[in-house]
Amino acid sequence: MVQELIGVVAAVGAGGLVYLAAAARVVKQYERGLVFRLGRVHGDVRRPGFNMIVPAVDRMRKVNLQIVTMPIPAQEGITRDNVTVRVDAVVYFKVVDPAAAIVNVEDYRFAVSQMAQTSLRSIIGKSELDDLLSNREKLNQGLELMIDSPAVEWGVTIDRVEIKDVSLPDTMKRSMARQAEADRERRARLINADAEYQASKKLAQAAHQMADTPSALQLRLLQTVMAVAAEKNSTLVLPIPVELLRFLERGRDEGRQPQTQEQAPEQENERTPEQTQAPAEHSLDEAEHPFGRTEQAMEELRRAVEQ
């Protein structure tokens, strides 16, 4: 009798363990459980942790609430400006309503993928090539709205959509490269022309300044000679500017003019025998006078230029 009682207790315990193993369900932190009792949704969505169901009557369906990264296959289309392109993208979405995601749509992942491909082809046909290449942020927002509108009924929300790559035909790539090269060459020519214009204005101002003060030209010449002479491996050819000769000639004329005005009346009224020696003395005075030396230097420069 005791042995039979022990056997019954053992059988009941084993059955209880089997029932507990069949009824126990563990829902992870990033999941939610949806219980179907005889084909109908029963109760609320099960929270993470240990949960119990009725074996052979209830069936639990777990739904992942993590953000899903789904690549959109490359779609080929013709843009609004008649350019054939291939565009691929990636969509990020997550489930916010597990009941709607399981009940309202058969496979929410497949549904989101097909809707993303259709929306991408529609965006390609409505956009121009320049928008696909340089204005992707606006296209991403439009693509996100097109996918998110029907996905709300599926218990899915679209986190973001990004266009990854735009493939162009080789002929279009070469045309765009030529266009970019021509544009850069045009800007380079404009910058060079503007630089020449500014340099010519500065040179004109410098020329006017040197015309007012001819000695500045000589100083500039000496500075150039010093800059060139810094390198020992170069041969220096020193040009003699015509302005320098004019400057020396002007100095000679200014030195002679006062002396001529003082001696002219005396030479016209008085002519003595002693003045026969005057030309030699006058030439001696001119040789000793600074302007006489200037004249000699000018003559030497002229002979050097002629040679």
Side-chain angles (χ1 to χ4, degrees):
M1 185 68 182
V2 176
Q3 293 180 352
E4 294 178 356
L5 183 60
I6 293 174
V8 172
V9 172
V12 171
L17 291 176
V18 172
Y19 179 83
L20 182 63
R25 294 291 186 273
V26 176
V27 180
K28 298 180 181 179
Q29 182 66 36
Y30 54 86
E31 294 177 339
R32 296 294 184 270
L34 190 65
V35 177
F36 290 88
R37 177 165 293 178
L38 299 178
R40 301 184 63 180
V41 178
H42 175 72
D44 297 331
V45 177
R46 300 298 175 91
R47 308 293 297 178
F50 183 79
N51 293 272
M52 294 291 294
I53 62 173
V54 178
V57 178
D58 295 343
R59 185 173 62 89
M60 178 178 288
R61 180 78 177 272
K62 297 179 182 179
V63 181
N64 193 336
L65 300 185
Q66 291 177 315
I67 295 177
V68 180
T69 303
M70 177 181 294
I72 304 176
Q75 303 297 314
E76 185 173 357
I78 301 177
T79 61
R80 192 166 61 180
D81 50 353
N82 298 326
V83 178
T84 303
V85 295
R86 289 178 60 88
V87 182
D88 58 346
V90 58
V91 57
Y92 302 88
F93 67 94
K94 63 180 179 179
V95 177
V96 294
D97 188 356
I102 299 299
V103 175
N104 294 347
V105 62
E106 180 181 2
D107 187 353
Y108 64 90
R109 289 175 178 265
F110 182 75
V112 171
S113 176
Q114 294 300 314
M115 179 57 64
Q117 295 180 32
T118 305
S119 302
L120 182 58
R121 286 194 295 268
S122 178
I123 285 292
I124 293 173
K126 294 179 180 178
S127 305
E128 296 183 356
L129 180 60
D130 293 338
D131 294 335
L132 290 174
L133 297 177
S134 61
N135 196 14
R136 293 188 181 181
E137 191 66 27
K138 183 178 179 181
L139 297 180
N140 292 337
Q141 294 177 1
L143 188 58
E144 180 180 348
L145 290 176
M146 294 179 66
I147 302 175
D148 190 57
S149 297
V152 173
E153 300 179 359
W154 305 335
V156 177
T157 180
I158 305 300
D159 188 69
R160 64 184 304 157
V161 181
E162 294 287 342
I163 295 177
K164 293 196 301 183
D165 188 24
V166 178
S167 300
L168 300 175
D170 294 336
T171 55
M172 180 57 64
K173 291 180 180 180
R174 290 193 292 268
S175 299
M176 294 177 65
R178 289 195 300 268
Q179 179 184 0
E181 183 179 358
D183 184 66
R184 290 184 179 275
E185 185 177 358
R186 177 183 63 85
R187 285 187 292 177
R189 290 183 178 180
L190 290 177
I191 293 173
N192 190 17
D194 185 58
E196 293 291 340
Y197 174 70
Q198 294 180 6
S200 63
K201 290 180 63 176
K202 295 297 182 182
L203 290 175
Q205 294 177 3
H208 287 298
Q209 186 68 24
M210 289 182 180
D212 295 337
T213 55
S215 58
L217 181 61
Q218 185 177 3
L219 295 176
R220 182 59 184 163
L221 177 61
L222 295 176
Q223 291 179 359
T224 304
V225 171
M226 291 177 62
V228 176
E231 298 181 2
K232 304 299 183 181
N233 57 352
S234 60
T235 302
L236 178 61
V237 179
L238 180 62
I240 304 298
V242 181
E243 284 78 3
L244 179 59
L245 301 178
R246 292 177 180 174
F247 170 72
L248 298 175
E249 186 177 1
R250 189 184 307 168
R252 184 197 63 179
D253 296 340
E254 291 178 356
R256 282 184 174 182
Q257 184 176 0
Q259 186 177 0
T260 305
Q261 291 178 357
E262 292 177 357
Q263 295 179 358
E266 297 178 358
Q267 292 178 356
E268 292 178 358
N269 298 329
E270 297 179 0
R271 290 287 183 175
T272 61
E274 297 176 353
Q275 292 179 351
T276 55
Q277 304 294 333
E281 297 176 357
H282 184 68
S283 60
L284 180 61
D285 294 340
E286 288 181 353
E288 296 177 353
H289 197 274
F291 294 103
R293 291 194 297 269
T294 303
E295 182 178 3
Q296 293 178 3
M298 184 180 67
E299 293 296 335
E300 293 179 358
L301 290 175
R302 287 181 178 176
R303 285 196 297 272
V305 172
E306 291 176 358
Q307 292 177 358

